[in-house]
């Protein structure tokens, strides 16, 4: 309801777009590739060992006596070794259809201090560490920088969180579906005057107005209305009452991605399960599950060309802590989904959870850099070269062999 | 550049006001800060311990409802619980109104700024619907009395405070070998220990490692809280035996709260803490990338004074870099809307009397769109400092929308925009803003343009 109102108020702006002094008439290009790439940052450190449970590892059950694993908690067997957390049951049909999978025992190169904030910075900056300083752009933005002259709406950062992963010199659009802006053309011209000479403000406000106007165009209103219609009609959505900000974000992303947008990024938080993990992680997983189902339904035919990566800053301790939760760890899992993905499998080089196998005696040992998977997905989706990926986009990364995540 | 009254009010206060004179000197600012807290006396926010409904009130009523389940008294108990939630929600609105009213009416803006800075440094978030109205009382009790006092006193107040213990899971952490853990098969939770080192004291680049986190977590066990009995030090939950944090051994005998205080005092006095606080202070008040000399001076003041925050504040105000003409920082949304209300000379008593819905329409809803949902920061690191995090398309849409719509809601006789430029920005207002204000078609958009301008958004 709220969103419809927002689009209505935006509609009043549409006719004025041509007169706006803030819209610079520059020719921008659409993206030269078709694959839709969605990167969801799971803020707070998702416990990969609980989400994709290696219940075939003899050590796991002993590490998690009260959180529980496998059949005891109704986890769904995937391949005899791994089982899916029951809160992701709505996604199991996607897994069986090969539209969802996971990569396990992975992490960024970040080690030891286990700070959320540094961990997320490293994940989104795509760097081996934070020692260089100064480099404040994200790897998705550096991907965009490989194709100069793209329209800003090729890539969308969605929601209220700052998405470092998409920030940088290449233009990217950014919007949260519930911001409203309604100004007369005269005021818009004067705003340009009061931001003159302050580039930070100038850039942000002209984006704010330009995006509001783009949303007011007929195409955008229609796209949003269509998404709503598709939600109502989809059999997968039957009986699932989806609501909440994460669903709005996913609906918005789907609407843009059905059009010219090729990259969308947003975050889902609630993963910092220090206590009572069983119920806390189930809530976060339900949000993730709703989000992916909304994307799938909203994208319609474009789902077949979509790759969704769900990444987190690090994993959590293998051993549960004293309050039925887990503390900050190292290795974890990345989930992926999309009609363009080769899912139905858990890709891993399993290090084991036994005595002596754990990193620093406490965490799942990462056996591969999570950036390698993101790099190979971008390579297959956009055709960007290995040299560009290993050089500028992910500095100091060795991509290794292709895990062939895309069909 | 020496002291300047306009900069003092904009950068180290809560903004210019048409009816309140800015401070005359650094001495003047410090005298006010070290004097009585007049704003707190005029617009009262209760201490946490006195705030109602209390966690205990909610607890007791829930017990009554549980006992009445299945009986004909169940509906009545349910209704009482709903009513209590409404009272809590209204109390949160009253406390929010008091904070706005203080900012609009104070002659001691520095105290308001410092309170917000330290509340953010020791961020807590309510983890349940029944404590949402208790965040402001936490700040009133654990933070505000210490903003010109000793850092170690603030650290003690925070580290033993129910809001922090619950927010960072300390109340459920128990020593693996403690009596309670043995009996109940529970154990340690590192959350508070880690954030205390990373965020509250040494900083993430400080000289600590995972072992220190672990040992500190073991030492902090015993800090406990429950709705029925409030804060307690529970020796049944405390890990027996000594713990070694940063090379220093603590405890070893009967577990005592004093062992915890000892490590807190040592963390407060650590040189890495001085450095971390100094840098954060300089970043918050002066520039995202502050001059190194300023950081050094603040760290020295912190170290030499034994962490006296009044001395650190005065060192900031005595440093030439504090008075640079260029406004390098962007106001956070709360600072933006309060300085806007102050420039508009809104009646503080009317602000203090806002209902929940009035507060939401005039301020709270807007703050969320601007990226600062009130008292709900995303994590224990509080709100971001970097200007670019705030001045985004989304954030600007929210700021412009507030500037264009809220003033007319708060006052039906808006000032003349041509004069308002100088009320809000001082005599050296950006000429471009003065031009836009006189070129506006109406008062609403003229005033809105001044408030939305980069010159007003910066400090």
């Amino acid at each position: 309801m709220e969103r419809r109102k927002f689009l209505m108020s935006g509609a009043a702006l549409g006719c004025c777009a041509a007169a706006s002094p803030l819209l610079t008439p520059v020719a921008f290009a659409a993206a030269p590739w078709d694959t839709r790439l969605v990167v969801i940052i799971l803020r707070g450190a998702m416990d990969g060992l609980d989400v994709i449970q290696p219940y075939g590892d003899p050590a796991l059950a002993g590490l998690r006596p009260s959180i529980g694993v496998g059949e005891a908690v109704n986890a769904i067997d995937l391949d005899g070794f791994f089982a899916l957390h029951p809160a992701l049951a709505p996604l199991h049909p996607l897994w069986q259809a090969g539209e969802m999978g996971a990569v396990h025992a992975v992490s960024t190169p970040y080690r030891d201090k286990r700070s959320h904030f540094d961990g997320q910075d490293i994940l989104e900056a795509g760097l081996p560490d934070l020692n260089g300083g100064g480099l404040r752009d994200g790897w998705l933005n550096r991907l965009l920088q490989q194709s100069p002259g793209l329209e800003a709406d090729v890539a969308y950062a969605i929601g209220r969180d700052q998405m470092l992963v998409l920030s940088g010199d290449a233009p990217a659009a950014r919007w949260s579906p519930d911001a409203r802006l309604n100004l007369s053309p005269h005021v818009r011209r004067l705003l340009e005057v009061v931001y003159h000479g302050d580039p930070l403000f100038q850039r942000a406000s002209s984006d704010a107005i330009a995006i509001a106007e783009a949303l007011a165009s007929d195409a955008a209103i229609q796209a949003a209305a269509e998404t709503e219609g598709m939600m109502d009609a989809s059999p997968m959505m039957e009986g699932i009452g989806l609501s909440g900000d994460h669903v709005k974000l996913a609906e918005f992303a789907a609407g843009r991605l059905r059009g010219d947008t090729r990259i969308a990024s947003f975050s889902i938080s609630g993963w910092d399960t220090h206590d009572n993990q069983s119920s806390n992680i189930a809530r976060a997983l339900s949000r993730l599950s709703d989000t992916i189902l909304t994307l799938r339904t909203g994208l319609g035919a474009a789902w077949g060309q979509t790759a969704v990566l769900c990444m987190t800053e690090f994993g959590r301790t293998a051993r549960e802590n004293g309050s039925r939760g887990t503390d900050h760890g190292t290795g974890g899992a990345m989930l992926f989904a999309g009609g363009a993905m080769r899912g139905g499998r858990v890709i891993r080089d399993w290090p084991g959870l036994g005595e002596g196998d754990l990193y620093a005696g406490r965490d799942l040992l990462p056996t591969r850099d999570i950036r390698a998977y993101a790099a190979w997905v971008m390579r297959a989706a956009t055709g960007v070269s290995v040299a560009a990926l290993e050089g500028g986009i992910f500095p100091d990364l060795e991509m290794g062999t292709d895990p062939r995540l895309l069909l | 550049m020496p002291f300047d009254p306009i900069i003092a009010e904009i950068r180290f206060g809560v903004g210019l006001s048409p009816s309140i004179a800015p401070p005359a000197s650094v001495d003047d600012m410090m005298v006010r800060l070290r004097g009585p807290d007049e704003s707190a006396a005029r617009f009262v926010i209760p201490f946490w311990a006195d705030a109602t409904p209390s966690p205990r009130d909610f607890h007791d009523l829930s017990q009554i409802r549980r006992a009445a389940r299945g009986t004909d008294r169940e509906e009545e108990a349910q209704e009482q619980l709903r009513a209590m939630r409404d009272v809590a929600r209204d109390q949160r609105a009253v406390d929010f109104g008091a904070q706005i009213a203080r900012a609009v009416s104070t002659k001691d803006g520095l105290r308001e700024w410092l309170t917000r800075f330290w509340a953010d440094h020791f961020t807590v978030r309510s983890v349940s619907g029944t404590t949402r109205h208790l965040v402001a009382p936490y700040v009133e009790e654990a933070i505000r009395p210490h903003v010109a006092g000793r850092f170690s006193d603030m650290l003690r107040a925070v580290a033993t405070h129910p809001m922090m213990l619950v927010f960072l899971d300390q109340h459920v952490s128990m020593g693996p070998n403690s009596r309670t853990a043995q009996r109940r098969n529970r154990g340690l939770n590192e959350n508070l220990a880690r954030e205390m080192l990373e965020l509250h004291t040494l900083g993430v680049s400080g000289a600590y490692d995972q072992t220190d986190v672990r040992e500190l977590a073991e030492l902090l066990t015993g800090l406990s809280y429950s709705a029925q009995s409030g804060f307690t030090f529970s020796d049944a939950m405390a890990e027996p035996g000594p713990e070694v944090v940063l090379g220093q051994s603590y405890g070893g005998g009967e577990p005592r709260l004093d062992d915890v205080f000892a490590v807190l005092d040592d963390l407060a006095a650590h040189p890495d803490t001085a450095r971390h606080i100094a840098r954060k202070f300089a970043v918050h008040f002066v520039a995202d990338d502050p001059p190194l000399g300023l950081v050094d001076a603040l760290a020295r003041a912190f170290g030499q004074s034994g962490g006296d925050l009044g001395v650190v504040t005065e060192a900031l105000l005595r440093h030439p870099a504090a008075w640079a003409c260029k406004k390098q920082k962007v106001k956070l949304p709360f600072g933006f809307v309060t300085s806007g209300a102050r420039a508009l000379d809104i009646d503080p008593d009317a602000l203090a009397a806002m209902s929940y819905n009035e507060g939401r329409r005039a301020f709270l809803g807007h703050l969320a769109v601007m990226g600062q949902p009130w008292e709900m920061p995303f994590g224990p690191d509080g709100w971001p400092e970097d200007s670019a995090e705030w001045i985004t398309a989304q954030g600007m849409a929210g700021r412009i929308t507030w500037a264009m719509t809220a003033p007319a809601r708060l006052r039906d006789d808006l000032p003349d925009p041509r004069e308002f430029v100088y009320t809000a920005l001082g005599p050296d207002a950006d000429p471009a803003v003065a031009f836009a204000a006189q070129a506006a078609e109406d008062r609403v958009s003229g005033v809105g343009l001044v408030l939305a301008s980069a010159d007003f958004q910066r400090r």
Side-chain angles (χ1 to χ4, degrees):
Chain A
M1 221 38 220
E2 198 53 29
R3 191 165 56 96
R4 195 184 296 276
K5 229 162 65 194
F6 152 60
L7 289 168
M8 296 288 280
S9 67
L13 286 172
C15 58
C16 304
S20 169
L22 300 182
L23 286 182
T24 333
V26 178
F28 289 114
W33 71 86
D34 281 332
T35 305
R36 275 71 165 172
L37 180 59
V38 182
V39 174
I40 304 176
I41 305 288
L42 307 174
R43 295 188 194 278
M46 177 184 78
D47 183 20
L49 290 173
D50 199 6
V51 176
I52 304 291
Q53 303 171 1
Y55 77 119
D57 190 309
L60 183 65
L63 293 166
R64 305 255 168 138
S66 64
I67 293 174
V69 300
E71 278 174 12
V73 293
N74 297 319
I76 304 160
D77 174 63
L78 295 171
D79 60 4
F81 187 81
F82 288 103
L84 188 66
H85 191 283
L88 288 183
L91 297 182
H92 191 230
L94 269 67
W95 192 287
Q96 289 172 310
E99 292 182 357
M100 187 181 168
V103 175
H104 222 316
V106 288
S107 77
T108 69
Y110 181 56
R111 293 290 182 278
D112 297 337
K113 279 244 165 140
R114 301 178 179 88
S115 150
H116 288 303
F117 319 112
D118 286 351
Q120 289 171 25
D121 279 354
I122 283 189
L123 170 65
E124 295 185 74
L127 302 177
D129 53 56
L130 291 175
N131 295 337
L135 191 47
R136 293 295 297 174
D137 58 359
W139 49 270
L140 282 176
N141 194 280
R142 295 198 294 275
L143 170 69
L144 291 169
Q145 291 168 25
Q146 297 293 317
S147 316
L150 293 181
E151 288 175 344
D153 72 351
V154 164
Y156 253 93
I158 301 168
R160 286 176 187 156
D161 294 353
Q162 174 85 0
M163 300 300 294
L164 171 63
V165 70
L166 246 176
S167 306
D169 288 341
R174 185 190 148 106
W175 199 248
S176 171
D178 56 4
R180 295 184 292 275
L181 187 62
N182 198 349
L183 300 169
S184 79
H186 184 69
V187 171
R188 268 179 273 157
R189 267 193 294 278
L190 289 174
L191 276 173
E192 189 183 32
V193 172
V194 300
Y195 297 130
H196 182 82
D198 196 318
L200 175 67
F201 279 86
Q202 221 168 356
R203 201 164 47 235
S205 58
S206 72
D207 282 354
I209 294 166
I211 296 166
E213 285 168 339
L215 288 171
S217 72
D218 290 348
I221 289 174
Q222 210 176 340
E226 273 171 24
T227 303
E228 282 188 0
M230 291 162 88
M231 294 296 154
D232 293 342
S234 165
M236 278 211 63
M237 291 307 195
E238 221 168 284
I240 304 177
L242 297 191
S243 61
D245 278 354
H246 57 288
V247 171
K248 280 194 203 138
L249 301 190
E251 281 179 1
F252 181 84
R256 306 304 297 179
L257 290 162
R258 278 205 312 277
D260 287 338
T261 297
R262 290 293 174 270
I263 293 175
S265 185
F266 53 92
S267 48
I268 299 179
S269 43
W271 304 96
D272 197 17
T273 47
H274 283 284
D275 72 83
N276 198 9
Q277 171 156 321
S278 299
S279 67
N280 288 326
I281 202 168
R283 268 198 293 278
L285 286 169
S286 296
R287 285 198 292 274
L288 178 62
S289 163
D290 291 353
T291 302
I292 290 175
L293 290 176
T294 302
L295 283 173
R296 182 180 194 264
T297 307
L299 277 157
W303 177 252
Q305 293 162 307
T306 297
V308 184
L309 303 182
C310 310
M311 307 167 86
T312 192
E313 64 261 35
F314 41 70
R316 308 188 70 84
T317 46
R319 199 171 285 109
E320 68 182 29
N321 67 13
S323 43
R324 300 189 177 121
T326 49
D327 292 318
H328 300 183
T330 310
M334 174 181 88
L335 304 178
F336 60 88
M341 306 293 290
R342 192 192 299 273
R345 56 194 177 133
V346 182
I347 300 165
R348 81 286 196 166
D349 171 8
W350 193 247
L353 295 171
E355 206 61 46
D357 295 331
L358 297 175
Y359 176 78
R362 55 181 264 151
D363 306 335
L364 176 62
L365 177 76
T367 50
R368 196 166 179 189
D369 190 331
I370 194 172
R371 299 179 301 160
Y373 293 96
W376 281 112
V377 168
M378 290 195 283
R379 165 114 188 90
T382 72
V384 62
S385 72
V386 169
L389 284 162
E390 291 186 336
I393 296 175
F394 287 126
D396 295 335
L397 174 69
E398 280 179 34
M399 285 169 65
T401 53
D402 185 356
R404 302 186 58 221
L405 288 183
L406 262 67
L407 287 170
Chain B
M1 171 103 192
F3 174 85
D4 176 281
I6 303 295
I7 293 178
E9 198 69 297
I10 292 176
R11 190 170 299 157
F12 302 111
V14 277
L16 297 174
S17 156
S19 58
I20 302 164
S25 63
V26 171
D27 287 343
D28 188 16
M29 294 171 83
M30 292 309 298
V31 166
R32 292 182 199 197
L33 178 65
R34 290 195 165 116
D37 187 348
E38 290 171 11
S39 286
R42 179 171 172 198
F43 298 106
V44 174
I45 296 173
F47 272 14
W48 195 89
D50 308 323
T52 53
S54 69
R56 188 177 179 148
D57 295 335
F58 274 108
H59 173 83
D60 292 349
L61 202 47
S62 304
Q63 294 288 88
I64 292 171
R65 187 191 53 171
R66 197 163 303 146
R69 193 159 288 164
T71 73
D72 48 4
R73 292 209 49 245
E74 184 175 0
E75 182 61 31
E76 188 191 337
Q78 185 66 38
E79 187 49 48
Q80 284 175 328
L81 204 52
R82 254 196 300 273
M84 192 177 279
R85 285 205 190 92
D86 288 348
V87 173
R89 193 198 63 180
D90 291 343
Q91 185 58 43
R92 182 165 182 258
V94 169
D95 292 346
F96 178 74
Q99 290 171 75
I100 301 257
R102 288 177 181 179
V104 165
S105 62
T106 186
K107 295 188 176 75
D108 182 13
L110 182 58
R111 189 192 303 265
E112 300 303 322
W113 256 124
L114 288 168
T115 301
R116 255 177 277 148
F117 171 81
W118 288 110
D120 188 68
H121 182 76
F122 290 110
T123 289
V124 300
R125 204 175 50 212
S126 160
V127 298
S128 85
T130 56
T131 53
R132 209 161 286 153
H133 63 297
L134 296 177
V135 177
Y138 153 79
V139 173
E140 198 71 5
E141 177 174 284
I143 303 290
R144 191 169 174 112
H146 303 295
V147 296
R150 306 194 83 79
F151 179 73
S152 54
D153 289 339
M154 197 188 291
L155 183 62
R156 284 182 178 210
V158 164
T160 55
H161 201 283
M163 288 304 278
M164 184 62 83
L165 297 179
V166 173
F167 176 47
L168 293 179
D169 304 318
Q170 185 61 39
H171 66 309
V172 295
S173 179
M174 47 197 96
N177 300 303
S178 68
R179 294 197 300 280
T180 312
Q182 300 277 318
R183 198 179 69 242
R184 293 176 48 198
N185 195 24
R186 307 285 289 258
L188 203 63
N189 188 310
E190 293 179 356
N191 209 2
L192 176 64
R194 177 182 307 283
E195 304 305 9
M196 189 179 281
L197 289 167
E198 175 183 334
L199 299 175
H200 300 160
T201 61
L202 273 66
V204 71
S205 46
Y208 68 94
D209 61 20
Q210 175 62 39
T211 309
D212 294 313
V213 172
R214 181 92 192 167
E215 295 278 308
L216 179 58
E218 292 184 346
L219 190 54
L220 294 182
T221 53
L223 299 180
S224 172
Y225 165 79
S226 72
Q228 303 96 295
S229 33
F231 170 75
T232 48
F233 184 79
S234 156
D235 49 4
M237 289 169 75
E239 178 71 358
E243 314 296 339
V244 178
V245 180
L246 302 172
Q248 179 75 40
S249 179
Y250 299 89
E254 271 303 295
R256 297 173 316 149
L257 183 56
D258 281 346
D259 297 332
V260 174
F261 284 152
V263 79
L264 293 179
D265 290 350
D266 286 348
L267 291 176
H270 196 283
D272 286 352
T273 300
R275 193 81 203 158
H276 178 219
I277 298 294
R279 182 169 164 77
K280 206 169 161 179
F281 219 66
V283 166
H284 183 75
F285 284 97
V286 176
D288 290 351
D289 190 11
L292 212 56
L294 174 61
V295 178
D296 288 342
L298 296 180
R300 238 183 349 262
F302 189 103
Q304 288 170 356
S305 69
D308 183 323
L309 299 178
V311 172
V312 176
T313 303
E314 184 161 354
L316 170 73
L317 298 177
R318 301 271 179 217
H319 199 281
W323 302 97
C325 294
K326 192 166 163 3
K327 298 173 177 170
Q328 301 192 65
K329 294 292 295 185
V330 166
K331 294 173 184 170
L332 264 53
F334 184 80
F336 163 54
V337 299
T338 48
S339 62
R342 187 170 162 97
L344 288 163
D345 212 14
I346 308 299
D347 172 15
D349 291 307
L351 291 167
M354 281 188 302
S355 72
Y356 172 76
N357 279 322
E358 287 166 341
R360 200 186 52 182
R361 275 197 299 273
F363 296 103
L364 289 168
H366 295 272
L367 290 174
V369 175
M370 293 178 214
Q372 195 181 25
W374 188 238
E375 292 174 341
M376 285 182 260
F378 304 111
D381 57 337
W383 301 112
E385 277 292 344
D386 194 2
S387 303
E389 300 248 1
W390 296 103
I391 304 308
T392 61
Q394 152 94 14
M396 280 311 295
R399 286 177 191 238
I400 294 170
T401 302
W402 190 83
M404 295 292 169
T405 58
R409 178 171 283 146
L410 293 169
R411 267 186 77 154
D412 42 18
D413 54 339
L414 286 181
D416 185 325
R418 288 168 298 184
E419 290 161 19
F420 185 64
V421 178
Y422 300 104
T423 308
L425 298 172
D428 297 328
D430 178 352
V433 182
F435 165 80
Q438 59 82 27
E441 287 167 320
D442 49 50
R443 281 182 181 232
V444 170
S445 51
V447 167
L449 282 161
V450 173
L451 294 177
S453 69
D455 199 5
F456 188 75
Q457 303 280 340
R458 288 187 176 277
R459 62 177 179 86

